[in-house]
Amino acid sequence: MNNATSSLNVAVKGTGVVPGVAFAPAVWVRPRPALPDAGAPVAEDAREAEFARFTEAADAVAQRLAERAENADGHAAEVLTATVGMVRDRGWRKTVRKNVNTGQRAEYAVVGATDKFVTMFEAAGGLMAERTTDLKDVRDRVIAQLQGTEEPGLPSVDRPSILFADDLAPADTADLNTDIFVALVTELGGPTSHTAIIARQLGVPCIVAAGNGLRDIPADRPVLVDGAAGAIVTEVDENVANELVKESQERAARIAAWQGPAQTSDGHRVQLLANVADPKAARAAATTQAEGVGLYRTEMSYLSTSSEPSVEEQAKLYGEVFAAFGDSKVVVRTLDAGSDKPIAYATFEDEENPALGVRGVRIARDNEGLLTRQLDAVAQAAGERAEGATTWVMAPMVATADEAKWFAGLCAERSLTAGAMIEVPAAALLAEEIMPHLDFVSIGTNDLTQYTMAADRLSPQLAYLTDPWQPAVLRLIDMTCRAGQRHEVPVGVCGEAAADPLLACVLTGMGVNSLSAAANALAGVGAQLAEVSLETCRAMAQAALAATSAEDARRAVSAVLD
Ligand code: PEP
Ligand code: MG
């Protein structure tokens, strides 16, 4: 995706979660009520009435949300119904009653009860933690009702606007009118927050975690939002802004109209595959333009499994993923346990530095059975696929030629097509020595970038280093591609880099022949590839490889297109 705002003065930066450019005045959501303090205790004989006051307010909020759910459809209706469920939740209401019974006023009792559930959700972490926004939203609506003030949420405006918010609750975004709210920007939230999920579904440009400086932008100021770059620009010429919006709309139309299979404008084929974590994701990916699965992260199904699943159990699971793709290619990655993906039965405990520890294929050095049983399961499930179905298996975190040889040997014993991820810099540097043992390789740009730049891929402070456009990373990719060509070993890419349409052209120019990414990113990549010839891709690769910084690389590559 060309970043529309790359040459403009960016006022606020956040995390872009839905690409697209919009230009309109900013409006803030209606404020949330101030949280009440304890106040005077409620007399014992008035507590029943106090709880009735709460019930009436909560029922009124639930009723309003339920009416909106009835008028919505699909996901919006589901989200609103889920919020109604929270307002009616018996556990939450019981906690409010308990608080009121101790003499708390209804407003204060609601705050305490909600805090209790927020703490529980936060302790559970992950997706549960992100649901705390919904809980707080329910709390605020009920408090506003109790106080007789306006319900927090969407402001009423009648012209296209960009909606600013601290965070948006599902109930705000569920039935959002995208003719009015043409982009969303939140101070909080993450890429999997409700705002992001809904914005993705609605296709409305969206930026989250834009905390610093958003409040300084005056209401009604026209702003330009670039959802790909996560950039908000306040000083921009109206004509320039309108031109950028038009280009973005044209690009979106091209993506919507794009039909696979992917190829460059002169017919050079590039396989576009999906990254999946489980059978459900595989079935969803099968409804997109994905030609198969380029990375099946098997460990993701076992994050909360305490003991090793049997070969039969594993084979059943893998078989469900295969079933989603008929006889198309599915690349299974063996367990990538450890570091940010701890698996109880496979992860080494108490490591000083797990990212550099016993993770990926290394777990099998002292526990070969763990790997061979998984390979047995893959072979069993693959044996049940239609004749001619393509099943490949690759090992994560391979660092030496000996590891590649050993893994390939285990695969050969089971007639499996063997590959390795190139995600440790040593593997890229030794690609010449590693390739002869393998049938294919797949470059994991997420870890390759992390280890090349010695920068934690989860650190927001180091995002400028954990960028696959870093020339050091690009050169290792190029080195791998050249070794692949010499040994006639196919080279794919399955890290996030494969989802970046511009970088996808660079990778194609280097000789990468398959790109695997989140299924919903594939059309954007395919549409971009369709606009360039292989020769242009090669020129883009040369421009990227000659760059001395990530920004330089992006600029130089964009310039080839202009
Ligand atoms: C990678 O490292 O690029 C990769 C695709 O694997 P994961 O993100 O699962 O580590
Ligand atoms: Mg990896």
Side-chain angles (χ1 to χ4, degrees), residues 333 336 341 359 397 421 423 444 446-447 457:
R333 177 174 72 184
D336 187 19
K341 288 172 287 198
R359 61 163 295 203
M397 294 292 291
M421 291 195 66
E423 54 182 346
N446 307 336
D447 277 318
R457 62 194 262 185

Side-chain angles (χ1 to χ4, degrees), residues 469-471 474-475 503 506 510 538-549 552-554 556-557 560:
W469 284 88
Q470 283 288 350
L474 295 175
R475 289 179 203 183
L503 195 45
V506 170
M510 288 179 182
R538 289 188 177 136
M540 292 163 93
Q542 286 315 316
L545 288 167
T548 52
S549 71
D552 251 13
R554 281 192 175 87
V557 167
V560 174

Side-chain angles (χ1 to χ4, degrees), residues 134-188:
D134 322 355
L135 282 172
K136 290 179 188 163
D137 176 59
V138 162
R139 173 198 65 194
D140 293 343
R141 285 174 199 275
V142 174
I143 290 176
Q145 180 74 22
L146 282 163
Q147 293 174 337
T149 55
E150 224 179 12
E151 192 166 7
L154 298 184
S156 33
V157 280
D158 51 12
R159 58 171 182 178
S161 307
I162 288 174
L163 185 64
F164 282 6
D166 48 354
D167 206 353
L168 286 166
D172 293 325
T173 44
D175 48 1
L176 191 88
N177 179 348
T178 52
D179 290 333
I180 295 290
F181 299 109
V182 292
L184 310 178
V185 181
T186 63
E187 289 182 296
L188 308 171

Side-chain angles (χ1 to χ4, degrees), residues 327-342:
D327 58 0
S328 302
K329 176 163 146 186
V330 177
V331 183
V332 182
R333 177 174 72 184
T334 57
L335 216 58
D336 187 19
S339 191
D340 54 331
K341 288 172 287 198

Side-chain angles (χ1 to χ4, degrees), residues 47-374:
R47 289 178 191 166
E48 204 50 49
E50 186 66 2
F51 185 67
R53 194 167 73 84
F54 157 76
T55 313
E56 201 181 306
D59 286 348
V61 170
Q63 179 63 27
R64 267 202 303 274
L65 289 166
E67 276 164 19
R68 280 173 57 197
E70 257 170 47
N71 292 324
D73 41 35
H75 189 73
E78 275 170 35
V79 167
L80 287 164
T81 307
T83 312
V84 173
M86 282 190 189
V87 193
R88 292 189 175 143
D89 184 76
R90 283 166 63 184
W92 179 68
R93 287 188 178 214
K94 248 167 128 175
T95 313
V96 175
R97 174 177 268 285
K98 253 172 60 197
N99 293 350
V100 170
N101 286 350
T102 66
Q104 291 181 9
R105 295 188 63 236
E107 289 87 338
Y108 192 65
V110 166
V111 173
T114 311
D115 281 351
K116 183 181 155 195
F117 282 86
V118 165
T119 309
M120 263 160 49
F121 278 32
E122 275 170 355
L127 288 177
M128 287 293 274
E130 290 190 356
R131 296 292 93 88
T132 55
T133 307
D134 322 355
L135 282 172
K136 290 179 188 163
D137 176 59
V138 162
R139 173 198 65 194
D140 293 343
R141 285 174 199 275
V142 174
I143 290 176
Q145 180 74 22
L146 282 163
Q147 293 174 337
T149 55
E150 224 179 12
E151 192 166 7
L154 298 184
S156 33
V157 280
D158 51 12
R159 58 171 182 178
S161 307
I162 288 174
L163 185 64
F164 282 6
D166 48 354
D167 206 353
L168 286 166
D172 293 325
T173 44
D175 48 1
L176 191 88
N177 179 348
T178 52
D179 290 333
I180 295 290
F181 299 109
V182 292
L184 310 178
V185 181
T186 63
E187 289 182 296
L188 308 171
T192 57
S193 60
H194 254 302
T195 306
I197 293 167
I198 297 273
R200 249 178 232 123
Q201 259 148 20
L202 296 171
V204 57
C206 176
I207 298 174
V208 297
N212 280 342
L214 200 63
R215 299 256 165 201
D216 299 337
I217 300 175
D220 287 336
R221 160 76 67 89
V223 292
L224 183 75
V225 166
D226 179 349
I232 298 139
V233 179
T234 48
E235 306 290 339
V236 56
D237 176 81
E238 201 178 317
N239 292 330
V240 172
N242 288 332
E243 190 53 35
L244 291 172
V245 171
K246 190 166 148 247
E247 276 173 24
S248 151
Q249 286 167 344
E250 285 166 0
R251 192 178 316 127
R254 282 198 300 277
I255 292 171
W258 181 77
Q259 292 290 328
Q263 54 184 356
T264 58
S265 58
D266 53 339
H268 173 76
R269 281 274 287 119
V270 182
Q271 217 172 24
L272 289 192
L273 305 163
N275 291 353
V276 304
D278 52 35
K280 186 169 171 224
R283 287 189 286 272
T287 66
T288 70
Q289 308 266 4
E291 293 176 55
V293 171
L295 169 62
Y296 169 23
R297 291 181 163 106
T298 54
E299 66 281 355
M300 300 307 278
S301 292
Y302 300 125
L303 289 176
S304 51
T305 305
S306 53
S307 58
E308 186 189 338
S310 68
V311 170
E312 279 64 35
E313 282 166 334
Q314 292 188 55
K316 183 168 175 291
L317 183 76
Y318 307 154
E320 284 181 44
V321 169
F322 295 155
F325 275 92
D327 58 0
S328 302
K329 176 163 146 186
V330 177
V331 183
V332 182
R333 177 174 72 184
T334 57
L335 216 58
D336 187 19
S339 191
D340 54 331
K341 288 172 287 198
I343 305 279
Y345 62 88
T347 304
F348 251 57
E349 273 171 29
D350 298 331
E351 289 185 298
E352 286 279 323
N353 199 344
L356 299 180
V358 185
R359 61 163 295 203
V361 76
R362 299 169 183 185
I363 53 173
R365 261 175 62 89
D366 289 330
N367 190 358
E368 195 174 280
L370 193 64
L371 176 58
T372 53
R373 286 186 291 276
Q374 186 176 26

